[in-house]
mmCIF file of all heavy atoms in Angstrom:
data_model
loop_
_atom_site.group_PDB
_atom_site.id
_atom_site.type_symbol
_atom_site.label_atom_id
_atom_site.label_comp_id
_atom_site.label_asym_id
_atom_site.label_seq_id
_atom_site.Cartn_x
_atom_site.Cartn_y
_atom_site.Cartn_z
ATOM 1 N N LEU A 19 0.837 -1.153 0.003
ATOM 2 C CA LEU A 19 0.001 -0.017 -0.024
ATOM 3 C C LEU A 19 0.826 1.248 0.008
ATOM 4 O O LEU A 19 1.874 1.339 0.710
ATOM 5 C CB LEU A 19 -0.880 0.016 1.249
ATOM 6 C CG LEU A 19 -1.659 1.248 1.548
ATOM 7 C CD1 LEU A 19 -2.799 1.447 0.508
ATOM 8 C CD2 LEU A 19 -2.247 1.286 2.937
ATOM 9 N N VAL A 20 0.516 2.216 -0.802
ATOM 10 C CA VAL A 20 1.181 3.543 -0.809
ATOM 11 C C VAL A 20 0.290 4.570 -0.124
ATOM 12 O O VAL A 20 0.686 5.223 0.783
ATOM 13 C CB VAL A 20 1.481 3.965 -2.255
ATOM 14 C CG1 VAL A 20 2.088 5.375 -2.223
ATOM 15 C CG2 VAL A 20 2.429 2.981 -2.931
ATOM 16 N N ALA A 21 -0.964 4.697 -0.579
ATOM 17 C CA ALA A 21 -1.868 5.701 -0.058
ATOM 18 C C ALA A 21 -3.285 5.361 -0.469
ATOM 19 O O ALA A 21 -3.524 4.747 -1.469
ATOM 20 C CB ALA A 21 -1.483 7.097 -0.596
ATOM 21 N N THR A 22 -4.253 5.792 0.441
ATOM 22 C CA THR A 22 -5.651 5.653 0.122
ATOM 23 C C THR A 22 -6.364 6.979 0.447
ATOM 24 O O THR A 22 -5.896 7.765 1.226
ATOM 25 C CB THR A 22 -6.312 4.569 0.939
ATOM 26 O OG1 THR A 22 -6.162 4.834 2.364
ATOM 27 C CG2 THR A 22 -5.674 3.193 0.659
ATOM 28 N N ILE A 23 -7.529 7.132 -0.189
ATOM 29 C CA ILE A 23 -8.401 8.255 0.065
ATOM 30 C C ILE A 23 -9.849 7.742 0.004
ATOM 31 O O ILE A 23 -10.263 7.034 -0.882
ATOM 32 C CB ILE A 23 -8.118 9.397 -0.953
ATOM 33 C CG1 ILE A 23 -8.976 10.652 -0.590
ATOM 34 C CG2 ILE A 23 -8.390 8.951 -2.368
ATOM 35 C CD1 ILE A 23 -8.527 11.929 -1.355
ATOM 36 N N THR A 24 -10.639 8.203 1.009
ATOM 37 C CA THR A 24 -11.985 7.765 1.114
ATOM 38 C C THR A 24 -12.922 8.792 0.445
ATOM 39 O O THR A 24 -12.516 9.838 0.027
ATOM 40 C CB THR A 24 -12.441 7.592 2.578
ATOM 41 O OG1 THR A 24 -12.403 8.899 3.165
ATOM 42 C CG2 THR A 24 -11.491 6.623 3.269
ATOM 43 N N VAL A 25 -14.210 8.451 0.398
ATOM 44 C CA VAL A 25 -15.202 9.326 -0.248
ATOM 45 C C VAL A 25 -15.359 10.660 0.513
ATOM 46 O O VAL A 25 -15.802 11.671 -0.023
ATOM 47 C CB VAL A 25 -16.540 8.660 -0.460
ATOM 48 C CG1 VAL A 25 -16.451 7.551 -1.443
ATOM 49 C CG2 VAL A 25 -17.110 8.191 0.884
ATOM 50 N N ASP A 26 -14.978 10.625 1.815
ATOM 51 C CA ASP A 26 -15.026 11.896 2.581
ATOM 52 C C ASP A 26 -13.616 12.517 2.725
ATOM 53 O O ASP A 26 -13.399 13.339 3.558
ATOM 54 C CB ASP A 26 -15.645 11.655 3.976
ATOM 55 C CG ASP A 26 -14.861 10.678 4.785
ATOM 56 O OD1 ASP A 26 -13.878 10.097 4.309
ATOM 57 O OD2 ASP A 26 -15.226 10.471 5.972
ATOM 58 N N ASP A 27 -12.728 12.105 1.790
ATOM 59 C CA ASP A 27 -11.437 12.695 1.650
ATOM 60 C C ASP A 27 -10.462 12.424 2.811
ATOM 61 O O ASP A 27 -9.442 13.154 3.028
ATOM 62 C CB ASP A 27 -11.512 14.216 1.443
ATOM 63 C CG ASP A 27 -12.094 14.542 0.086
ATOM 64 O OD1 ASP A 27 -12.017 13.698 -0.825
ATOM 65 O OD2 ASP A 27 -12.776 15.627 -0.023
ATOM 66 N N SER A 28 -10.700 11.405 3.609
ATOM 67 C CA SER A 28 -9.732 10.952 4.602
ATOM 68 C C SER A 28 -8.591 10.211 3.845
ATOM 69 O O SER A 28 -8.923 9.423 3.025
ATOM 70 C CB SER A 28 -10.399 10.023 5.589
ATOM 71 O OG SER A 28 -11.364 10.746 6.385
ATOM 72 N N THR A 29 -7.399 10.491 4.236
ATOM 73 C CA THR A 29 -6.249 9.926 3.553
ATOM 74 C C THR A 29 -5.411 9.098 4.543
ATOM 75 O O THR A 29 -5.424 9.284 5.783
ATOM 76 C CB THR A 29 -5.356 10.981 2.936
ATOM 77 O OG1 THR A 29 -4.922 11.918 3.953
ATOM 78 C CG2 THR A 29 -6.072 11.768 1.873
ATOM 79 N N ASN A 30 -4.689 8.152 3.946
ATOM 80 C CA ASN A 30 -3.850 7.325 4.709
ATOM 81 C C ASN A 30 -2.542 6.998 3.846
ATOM 82 O O ASN A 30 -2.703 6.827 2.636
ATOM 83 C CB ASN A 30 -4.487 5.979 5.055
ATOM 84 C CG ASN A 30 -3.660 5.000 5.860
ATOM 85 O OD1 ASN A 30 -3.126 5.378 6.899
ATOM 86 N ND2 ASN A 30 -3.439 3.798 5.338
ATOM 87 N N TYR A 31 -1.400 7.024 4.526
ATOM 88 C CA TYR A 31 -0.155 6.841 3.767
ATOM 89 C C TYR A 31 0.718 5.798 4.402
ATOM 90 O O TYR A 31 0.778 5.668 5.659
ATOM 91 C CB TYR A 31 0.652 8.156 3.713
ATOM 92 C CG TYR A 31 -0.045 9.241 2.988
ATOM 93 C CD1 TYR A 31 -0.916 10.139 3.601
ATOM 94 C CD2 TYR A 31 0.134 9.400 1.587
ATOM 95 C CE1 TYR A 31 -1.537 11.179 2.942
ATOM 96 C CE2 TYR A 31 -0.573 10.386 0.842
ATOM 97 C CZ TYR A 31 -1.306 11.274 1.555
ATOM 98 O OH TYR A 31 -1.959 12.290 0.805
ATOM 99 N N ALA A 32 1.510 5.117 3.639
ATOM 100 C CA ALA A 32 2.547 4.283 4.153
ATOM 101 C C ALA A 32 3.592 5.126 4.794
ATOM 102 O O ALA A 32 3.837 6.268 4.353
ATOM 103 C CB ALA A 32 3.191 3.442 3.006
ATOM 104 N N GLU A 33 4.255 4.637 5.843
ATOM 105 C CA GLU A 33 5.239 5.405 6.551
ATOM 106 C C GLU A 33 6.317 5.875 5.629
ATOM 107 O O GLU A 33 6.904 6.969 5.804
ATOM 108 C CB GLU A 33 5.800 4.649 7.710
ATOM 109 C CG GLU A 33 4.896 4.490 8.953
ATOM 110 C CD GLU A 33 4.590 5.815 9.608
ATOM 111 O OE1 GLU A 33 5.550 6.674 9.628
ATOM 112 O OE2 GLU A 33 3.470 6.005 10.130
ATOM 113 N N SER A 34 6.683 5.043 4.690
ATOM 114 C CA SER A 34 7.832 5.305 3.842
ATOM 115 C C SER A 34 7.610 6.482 2.871
ATOM 116 O O SER A 34 8.551 7.019 2.289
ATOM 117 C CB SER A 34 8.161 4.053 3.006
ATOM 118 O OG SER A 34 7.093 3.688 2.212
ATOM 119 N N VAL A 35 6.312 6.914 2.706
ATOM 120 C CA VAL A 35 6.016 8.037 1.773
ATOM 121 C C VAL A 35 5.430 9.223 2.427
ATOM 122 O O VAL A 35 5.236 10.270 1.783
ATOM 123 C CB VAL A 35 5.123 7.507 0.577
ATOM 124 C CG1 VAL A 35 5.655 6.290 -0.061
ATOM 125 C CG2 VAL A 35 3.704 7.219 1.108
ATOM 126 N N LYS A 36 5.187 9.133 3.717
ATOM 127 C CA LYS A 36 4.556 10.250 4.457
ATOM 128 C C LYS A 36 5.385 11.506 4.282
ATOM 129 O O LYS A 36 6.604 11.432 4.474
ATOM 130 C CB LYS A 36 4.372 9.920 5.905
ATOM 131 C CG LYS A 36 3.096 9.121 6.194
ATOM 132 C CD LYS A 36 2.939 8.910 7.701
ATOM 133 C CE LYS A 36 1.665 8.126 7.999
ATOM 134 N NZ LYS A 36 1.505 7.855 9.454
ATOM 135 N N GLY A 37 4.789 12.643 3.954
ATOM 136 C CA GLY A 37 5.524 13.910 3.840
ATOM 137 C C GLY A 37 6.112 14.082 2.495
ATOM 138 O O GLY A 37 6.527 15.166 2.166
ATOM 139 N N ARG A 38 6.074 13.043 1.648
ATOM 140 C CA ARG A 38 6.631 13.196 0.273
ATOM 141 C C ARG A 38 5.527 12.954 -0.821
ATOM 142 O O ARG A 38 5.587 13.559 -1.862
ATOM 143 C CB ARG A 38 7.712 12.157 0.053
ATOM 144 C CG ARG A 38 8.869 12.238 0.999
ATOM 145 C CD ARG A 38 10.014 11.373 0.614
ATOM 146 N NE ARG A 38 9.664 9.936 0.653
ATOM 147 C CZ ARG A 38 9.781 9.101 -0.420
ATOM 148 N NH1 ARG A 38 10.183 9.554 -1.571
ATOM 149 N NH2 ARG A 38 9.445 7.827 -0.283
ATOM 150 N N PHE A 39 4.541 12.055 -0.506
ATOM 151 C CA PHE A 39 3.506 11.807 -1.487
ATOM 152 C C PHE A 39 2.190 12.338 -1.023
ATOM 153 O O PHE A 39 1.931 12.428 0.183
ATOM 154 C CB PHE A 39 3.329 10.293 -1.636
ATOM 155 C CG PHE A 39 4.463 9.543 -2.265
ATOM 156 C CD1 PHE A 39 5.701 10.178 -2.562
ATOM 157 C CD2 PHE A 39 4.312 8.262 -2.725
ATOM 158 C CE1 PHE A 39 6.731 9.532 -3.191
ATOM 159 C CE2 PHE A 39 5.312 7.540 -3.383
ATOM 160 C CZ PHE A 39 6.567 8.192 -3.615
ATOM 161 N N THR A 40 1.361 12.731 -1.983
ATOM 162 C CA THR A 40 0.016 13.232 -1.650
ATOM 163 C C THR A 40 -0.988 12.640 -2.615
ATOM 164 O O THR A 40 -0.846 12.716 -3.860
ATOM 165 C CB THR A 40 -0.030 14.823 -1.836
ATOM 166 O OG1 THR A 40 0.976 15.370 -1.037
ATOM 167 C CG2 THR A 40 -1.385 15.308 -1.434
ATOM 168 N N ILE A 41 -2.026 12.056 -2.036
ATOM 169 C CA ILE A 41 -3.137 11.495 -2.841
ATOM 170 C C ILE A 41 -4.257 12.447 -2.793
ATOM 171 O O ILE A 41 -4.533 13.119 -1.840
ATOM 172 C CB ILE A 41 -3.541 10.103 -2.295
ATOM 173 C CG1 ILE A 41 -4.558 9.425 -3.260
ATOM 174 C CG2 ILE A 41 -4.095 10.198 -0.889
ATOM 175 C CD1 ILE A 41 -4.832 7.970 -2.947
ATOM 176 N N SER A 42 -4.906 12.612 -3.972
ATOM 177 C CA SER A 42 -6.114 13.516 -4.037
ATOM 178 C C SER A 42 -7.006 13.062 -5.160
ATOM 179 O O SER A 42 -6.711 12.192 -5.957
ATOM 180 C CB SER A 42 -5.610 14.943 -4.400
ATOM 181 O OG SER A 42 -4.925 14.951 -5.689
ATOM 182 N N GLU A 43 -8.249 13.577 -5.129
ATOM 183 C CA GLU A 43 -9.262 13.248 -6.075
ATOM 184 C C GLU A 43 -9.787 14.429 -6.749
ATOM 185 O O GLU A 43 -9.951 15.461 -6.053
ATOM 186 C CB GLU A 43 -10.410 12.451 -5.432
ATOM 187 C CG GLU A 43 -10.119 11.069 -4.971
ATOM 188 C CD GLU A 43 -11.302 10.338 -4.409
ATOM 189 O OE1 GLU A 43 -12.205 11.043 -3.835
ATOM 190 O OE2 GLU A 43 -11.353 9.153 -4.448
#
């Protein structure tokens, strides 16, 4: 897993990419 985003825009990131990757819709 790298990152997820829910329908209410809650996001979750793998520790290895936090602060560097951004998921959006």
Side-chain angles (χ1 to χ4, degrees):
L19 171 71
V20 176
T22 60
I23 185 167
T24 66
V25 294
D26 60 356
D27 293 333
S28 294
T29 57
N30 180 55
Y31 296 92
E33 284 296 326
S34 60
V35 306
K36 277 184 180 178
R38 300 188 299 121
F39 290 12
T40 304
I41 188 170
S42 62
E43 290 183 330

